[in-house]
Amino acid sequence: MAKDIFSFGNIYRCYLNCRKNKRNTINALKFELNAEENILRLEKELKSKVYHPSRSILFFVKKPKLREIFAADFRDRVVHHILVGYLEPILENVFIHDSYSCRKGKGTHRAVMRLQSFIRKVSKNGKARPYYLQLDIKSFFTNMDKEILFSLIGRRTRNKDILWLAGTIIFYDCTRNYILRGRADLFNELSCEKSLFGKENKRGVPIGNLTSQFFANVYLNELDQFVKHRLRCRYYIRYADDFVLLDNSREKLAGWMEGIKGFLESELKLNLNYRRIKLRPVSDGIDFVGYVVRRDYILVRRRVVNNMNRKLQYFEQHRYNSLNHEMLENLRSSVQSYLGHFKWANSYRLVKRLVENKVISAYFKMVGYRLVPRY
C-alpha cells in the first residue's frame, strides 16, 4: 500500500534485497554494523522528504568498451530498491513481452531462445529470403532526457511520495559530488557523448544503478509500443538499447528504420548509432547479446571466446609460480561464468577445449556444467 512505501518494514525488506549482491562491499558492511539505526534514519528522511543521494564513486571500466561508472552509495542503493519495488509491478503490465533486459523471468538466455524462434517463424515457408534489421542507440544511458523520463513515470502513477522520490533520483547531479577511483587520464579517452559531464544535468543517468536499468525500460517502452502498434512489426525483440526486427521484405525493414529514426529523434531526443546498423539476410546469423543466432544452432560470439583465451593465458603464465587459493578461486569463478554462458549455445568442442586446459584440468574437474576442485 502507498502509505507503507517509506515504512521501516518496507525499507528493511529493500535493504535485505539490496545486500544480497553487495554484502561484502565496505559501504554495505558499514551500513550493516548499525542497520537498525541507519534504516530508522532513512525512514525519517524519506517521510520528511529531506533525503538526498550521497556521494558516488566514479571509476572507469575498459571492457567491453570504455565506460564511465558512477557507483551509488549502499544507502542510496536501498532507496533505489524502494522506488523500483513500487514502480515495477505497475510498469510490468505495460511493457511488451519481448523486452528482455533487467526483468524478472527474462534475461539474455531467454532473449536468445526467443530470437531463434522468430528466425524459424519468419523463414518457415521457404518461399522468401528473410532479413533482419539490427539497431542500437547512440550513447543511450548518457543521453536520456531527464524531463521526458520523469514525465513517463508521471503517466503511470499519481502517488506524490513516489513522484518526489523519482524526481530526487532522476534530477540528482552525480557529477557534482563524487570520489574518483582509478586512472584520471581515462577522462581524456572518453568522448563527450559517453559522459555525464557537460550535460548540465539535463540528460543522462549513471550506468549500473538499479534505477538506471529500470529507467531504460521505462524510456524505451515508448519505442517498443511504436514498433509493435504503429509499425506493426510482428517479430521484434529488444535487450537494453540493442533491438532486432525481422521480416521477409528488405524494403519494409528499411522503411521501418526511417520510422524508428524519426520517432527516436522527435519523441525521445535520441539518435541511432549509424555505425552499428545491420540490414542483412537472416542466413548470415544475428550477433545478439553475446551469441550468434541462426535458425538451427547458436554459437558463442568470437569476442567472448577471445576474452576467455586471454584470461586463460594469464593463469597459465602463473601456473609454475604456484597459484594461491585466491587466484584459484578467481580462476574457478571466471571459468564457471563462461561455462554458464556456453551451455546455452552449440559449444561442445569449446567446452571440451576449456576443461582440457592444462591449468584447469590440473586443479578442477567438471560435474555437469559445474567446475569443482579436483582435490
Side-chain angles (χ1 to χ4, degrees):
M1 294 178 63
K3 65 181 181 181
D4 297 323
I5 296 168
F6 299 150
S7 68
F8 181 93
N10 189 48
I11 298 172
Y12 182 71
R13 284 190 293 272
C14 292
Y15 157 68
L16 293 179
N17 288 332
C18 185
R19 79 175 186 180
K20 286 178 183 177
N21 297 321
K22 297 292 179 182
R23 195 166 193 177
N24 292 327
T25 63
I26 293 175
N27 284 341
L29 292 171
K30 286 181 178 178
F31 191 97
E32 189 170 353
L33 283 173
N34 296 294
E36 184 175 349
E37 180 182 333
N38 288 324
I39 292 170
L40 284 168
R41 185 181 300 116
L42 200 50
E43 178 188 22
K44 183 177 180 181
E45 290 181 16
L46 290 169
K47 285 182 174 179
S48 60
K49 294 185 173 56
V50 297
Y51 163 81
H52 60 85
S54 308
R55 185 167 53 183
S56 301
I57 303 295
L58 169 62
F59 61 94
F60 297 92
V61 295
K62 300 192 72 173
K63 293 182 179 180
K65 54 187 175 182
L66 184 61
R67 292 176 183 269
E68 169 190 273
I69 308 294
F70 282 90
D73 187 76
F74 181 80
R75 179 174 183 269
D76 298 322
R77 292 177 184 272
V78 175
V79 176
H80 296 170
H81 276 264
I82 295 171
L83 180 63
V84 173
Y86 180 88
L87 289 174
E88 192 172 53
I90 298 171
L91 272 297
E92 274 296 320
N93 294 323
V94 178
F95 295 155
I96 66 168
H97 176 80
D98 290 311
S99 160
Y100 284 85
S101 175
C102 303
R103 293 175 65 191
K104 294 175 183 176
K106 302 290 184 175
T108 57
H109 302 135
R110 288 182 182 269
V112 166
M113 297 299 120
R114 182 67 164 173
L115 179 57
Q116 188 177 53
S117 76
F118 282 171
I119 293 172
R120 289 171 176 169
K121 288 176 182 178
V122 79
S123 57
K124 66 180 179 180
N125 57 26
K127 295 179 181 179
R129 189 184 191 191
Y131 291 85
Y132 75 93
L133 171 66
Q134 186 170 21
L135 305 169
D136 79 357
I137 296 167
K138 186 177 182 182
S139 305
F140 170 60
F141 279 95
T142 54
N143 279 297
M144 268 192 274
D145 185 280
K146 293 191 173 191
E147 290 288 353
I148 292 175
L149 173 60
F150 185 68
S151 70
L152 292 175
I153 291 173
R155 291 182 195 175
R156 304 301 175 185
T157 180
R158 295 183 179 180
N159 185 292
K160 293 181 179 179
D161 290 337
I162 287 296
L163 289 175
W164 165 78
L165 184 57
T168 299
I169 293 171
I170 290 170
F171 294 107
Y172 173 69
D173 187 357
C174 56
T175 65
R176 293 181 175 272
N177 189 17
Y178 65 89
I179 299 174
L180 176 64
R181 295 276 169 82
R183 292 171 51 189
D185 62 297
L186 291 176
F187 270 117
N188 301 323
E189 297 182 24
L190 195 70
S191 69
C192 295
E193 279 288 324
K194 296 183 180 297
S195 175
L196 293 180
F197 290 94
K199 299 288 197 303
E200 298 180 346
N201 201 31
K202 294 180 180 179
R203 290 182 291 145
V205 295
I207 295 171
N209 289 345
L210 175 67
T211 45
S212 300
Q213 296 165 350
F214 179 74
F215 291 157
N217 281 334
V218 174
Y219 207 87
L220 289 183
N221 176 62
E222 301 304 301
L223 170 65
D224 297 340
Q225 301 297 335
F226 173 77
V227 172
K228 295 299 291 183
H229 300 297
R230 296 270 296 279
L231 299 182
R232 296 187 180 278
C233 176
R234 186 175 182 182
Y235 303 116
Y236 165 80
I237 188 168
R238 179 177 63 80
Y239 190 93
D241 62 331
D242 186 2
F243 49 103
V244 180
L245 301 82
L246 301 94
D247 197 82
N248 283 317
S249 170
R250 191 180 192 281
E251 291 70 26
K252 184 183 285 188
L253 288 170
W256 283 346
M257 181 175 68
E258 291 303 314
I260 290 170
K261 173 181 177 292
F263 178 82
L264 288 173
E265 291 174 357
S266 63
E267 301 298 322
L268 298 179
K269 297 185 180 179
L270 296 171
N271 295 294
L272 290 174
N273 186 342
Y274 292 104
R275 292 184 299 176
R276 297 191 63 184
I277 293 173
K278 296 178 183 177
L279 179 50
R280 299 175 183 172
V282 165
S283 58
D284 286 0
I286 304 175
D287 187 342
F288 189 61
V289 296
Y291 299 90
V292 177
V293 187
R294 296 179 183 271
R295 175 191 168 91
D296 298 314
Y297 59 92
I298 298 168
L299 300 176
V300 176
R301 189 182 186 189
R302 173 53 56 185
R303 188 171 75 183
V304 175
V305 177
N306 290 340
N307 288 341
M308 178 195 74
N309 289 335
R310 279 193 291 270
K311 284 208 171 187
L312 291 178
Q313 287 171 8
Y314 168 79
F315 286 107
E316 285 173 357
Q317 290 168 4
H318 290 79
R319 183 187 177 205
Y320 299 108
N321 296 326
S322 69
L323 294 168
N324 59 38
H325 176 76
E326 183 179 351
M327 292 180 71
L328 283 172
E329 179 55 28
N330 190 359
L331 172 62
R332 189 205 64 80
S333 177
S334 179
V335 173
Q336 188 65 63
S337 177
Y338 282 112
L339 288 171
H341 187 76
F342 294 167
K343 76 176 182 179
W344 295 91
N346 300 87
S347 57
Y348 173 80
R349 284 184 295 179
L350 186 59
V351 171
K352 188 173 184 290
R353 181 160 59 88
L354 177 60
V355 297
E356 289 178 351
N357 174 273
K358 291 181 180 179
V359 177
I360 295 173
S361 61
Y363 294 99
F364 303 100
K365 61 183 178 180
M366 282 278 290
V367 178
Y369 265 85
R370 289 181 59 246
L371 204 64
V372 298
R374 186 170 290 279
Y375 306 107

